[in-house]
Amino acid sequence: MAQRISDLSDELLIKIISFLPTKVAVSTSILSKQWQFLWMWLPKLEFDDYSIIDDPDSILRFRDFINKNLPLHKSAVIESLLLRFCQSTLQPENIKLWVGIAVSRLVRELSIGYFCFGDEPDVPLPSDEDSLRLLLSQCLVLEDLCIERHGNDDNLIEIVVKVPSLQRLTLEVYQRSSGGYVIVAPSLKYFKFVDFSETFSCLIEHIPKLEEADIRVSQEFETLLKSIASVKLLSVLALCNNPEEPVYSDGTIFNQLEHLKFGIYSDDWSKLLIWLLGKAPKLRVLNISIDHDPELEEYELVTWSSVPECLLKTLETFEFNDYMGTEEERDFLSFFFKHACCLTSTSIIHNVCDM
């Protein structure tokens, strides 16, 4: 059987071992001289040291192996490169070298992950603005970008994404202070933005082709919405408990918005929702979920001077999750059902656990 396999062409053997994890594919190099370098033609590579985190010597040998062999990789195009590490012995120079090689081989999918445990210090990855900008500038046909930040130990003050070809962008930041964002991506179709930090600034150029957006923030809410006015499906989670009275401008119109998923943790949430409905004249589907804080200030009766156009002409489906029967909810529903003329489907789901 072994002889029959060895009689196969190198091209077919490479195809076979491409279905194996990289670590297993590399181990086939000891079978014979024919197999020695076959793995170096693999278009998809995964380097993960999680299985050897308790053996520092093995980790160092593993890094040396990558440093020695990745520059010699023979595949003209690296379809995907996954780098996942769990120890602080990783150095920025390693990442720069490996990413540079991947970019030079026209990498199509690049994933870098670093995880620390306990009191282990975070590795100083090459995460300054110049490094990120340089990396993105080399990705001339990049379509999907995901950036996640945890903790406050990197040196990235501002995330600058200027990629004309980008179609999907995910930014998830879990830090107290995340700095700022500059986004220039005119071809974007999907945008996810998560940042509940205390302070950040955001500058986003108009995104004319945007179809779906998922926004989860505690501030800069209206600034973000202005930049995505062409969106068709919008999911919002807003933490807006601000002692100051919110002021919403009249300039933003969501002329293409058809589906709104609205989640909020705030007093006076109905003001923001009615404002959004008034800016979405073509809205057909509305899903809302309200998170209640028992310590919120006493509710004051809200009156609305105008009826959103979508209630009168287009809204067909309405779903209210986590309904608690509060006075503000009852006032909103009274106003809503009085003017919603085109509804064909309605669902109100009680929050039984908190009642």
Side-chain angles (χ1 to χ4, degrees):
M1 178 64 71
Q3 185 58 43
R4 289 182 181 178
I5 293 178
S6 295
D7 288 340
L8 299 176
S9 66
D10 287 354
E11 182 179 357
L12 187 53
L13 291 175
I14 293 169
K15 182 69 174 179
I16 292 173
I17 66 174
S18 69
F19 292 99
L20 301 174
T22 300
K23 182 178 180 180
V24 178
V26 171
S27 69
T28 64
S29 62
I30 66 173
L31 295 178
S32 69
K33 287 186 177 181
Q34 180 188 8
W35 290 79
Q36 187 174 2
F37 299 109
L38 288 181
W39 76 270
M40 299 190 74
W41 292 92
L42 292 177
K44 297 182 179 181
L45 299 171
E46 296 184 3
F47 296 112
D48 186 339
D49 72 0
Y50 185 78
S51 62
I52 55 174
I53 58 175
D54 296 325
D55 188 346
D57 291 337
S58 294
I59 291 173
L60 290 175
R61 288 195 297 270
F62 183 57
R63 307 287 162 77
D64 290 341
F65 175 84
I66 301 174
N67 282 330
K68 178 182 177 181
N69 290 281
L70 189 58
L72 302 177
H73 200 70
K74 300 179 182 298
S75 179
V77 175
I78 296 179
E79 293 183 9
S80 68
L81 175 63
L82 183 149
L83 303 170
R84 185 177 292 121
F85 300 97
C86 306
Q87 293 290 328
S88 58
T89 53
L90 181 65
Q91 296 300 315
E93 293 74 17
N94 298 137
I95 292 291
K96 288 182 179 180
L97 173 63
W98 301 338
V99 170
I101 294 169
V103 171
S104 70
R105 305 295 176 83
L106 306 177
V107 64
R108 295 174 181 172
E109 181 179 348
L110 176 64
S111 177
I112 304 173
Y114 175 79
F115 309 91
C116 62
F117 299 94
D119 297 328
E120 180 181 310
D122 282 352
V123 63
L125 293 177
S127 52
D128 56 84
E129 288 84 352
D130 291 338
S131 297
L132 178 61
R133 189 179 293 109
L134 178 61
L135 173 60
L136 295 180
S137 68
Q138 302 299 314
C139 303
L140 302 180
V141 293
L142 182 64
E143 295 184 354
D144 193 339
L145 174 63
C146 176
I147 299 176
E148 295 185 16
R149 300 174 68 193
H150 300 260
N152 293 280
D153 295 312
D154 62 36
N155 54 345
L156 189 61
I157 299 175
E158 185 176 60
I159 293 179
V160 179
V161 177
K162 295 184 178 181
V163 185
S165 61
L166 198 62
Q167 296 187 23
R168 296 178 61 87
L169 175 60
T170 299
L171 299 174
E172 296 190 40
V173 177
Y174 304 95
Q175 298 176 320
R176 287 188 176 181
S177 179
S178 56
Y181 304 88
V182 176
I183 300 171
V184 181
S187 300
L188 212 58
K189 295 181 180 179
Y190 173 84
F191 179 41
K192 181 176 181 179
F193 184 90
V194 180
D195 190 334
F196 294 116
S197 61
E198 297 173 356
T199 58
F200 71 83
S201 61
C202 194
L203 175 61
I204 305 177
E205 287 198 2
H206 179 56
I207 311 174
K209 300 179 181 180
L210 192 64
E211 297 178 358
E212 181 177 352
D214 185 351
I215 306 297
R216 309 180 192 186
V217 295
S218 57
Q219 59 166 313
E220 298 292 335
F221 182 71
E222 189 179 351
T223 300
L224 285 163
L225 292 185
K226 287 180 180 178
S227 305
I228 59 172
S230 61
V231 68
K232 296 179 180 179
L233 192 162
L234 174 61
S235 179
V236 171
L237 177 59
L239 308 184
C240 300
N241 281 332
N242 192 319
E244 298 181 0
E245 180 74 13
V247 178
Y248 305 114
S249 70
D250 296 327
T252 305
I253 302 293
F254 298 92
N255 282 319
Q256 306 301 319
L257 186 61
E258 297 182 355
H259 190 162
L260 173 62
K261 298 179 181 179
F262 179 84
I264 192 167
Y265 182 84
S266 173
D267 47 352
D268 293 333
W269 55 266
S270 56
K271 292 181 180 179
L272 174 57
L273 179 54
I274 292 296
W275 176 80
L276 274 172
L277 295 180
K279 303 300 179 181
K282 298 180 181 179
L283 192 69
R284 296 188 302 106
V285 180
L286 173 63
N287 308 90
I288 68 174
S289 178
I290 311 302
D291 194 349
H292 300 273
D293 185 346
E295 297 183 0
L296 292 180
E297 297 181 2
E298 185 176 348
Y299 166 67
E300 296 182 4
L301 180 64
V302 178
T303 57
W304 297 282
S305 58
S306 61
V307 179
E309 183 179 349
C310 65
L311 293 186
L312 300 172
K313 297 182 178 180
T314 61
L315 192 66
E316 300 173 350
T317 302
F318 173 64
E319 181 177 297
F320 194 145
N321 292 299
D322 299 322
Y323 176 74
M324 289 287 292
T326 65
E327 186 176 357
E328 184 172 11
E329 289 175 337
R330 295 196 302 270
D331 285 346
F332 169 77
L333 289 179
S334 176
F335 173 84
F336 180 86
F337 286 120
K338 179 180 179 180
H339 299 289
C341 302
C342 304
L343 283 179
T344 60
S345 175
T346 300
S347 174
I348 299 177
I349 302 174
H350 287 264
N351 188 335
V352 179
C353 295
D354 294 335
M355 292 183 66

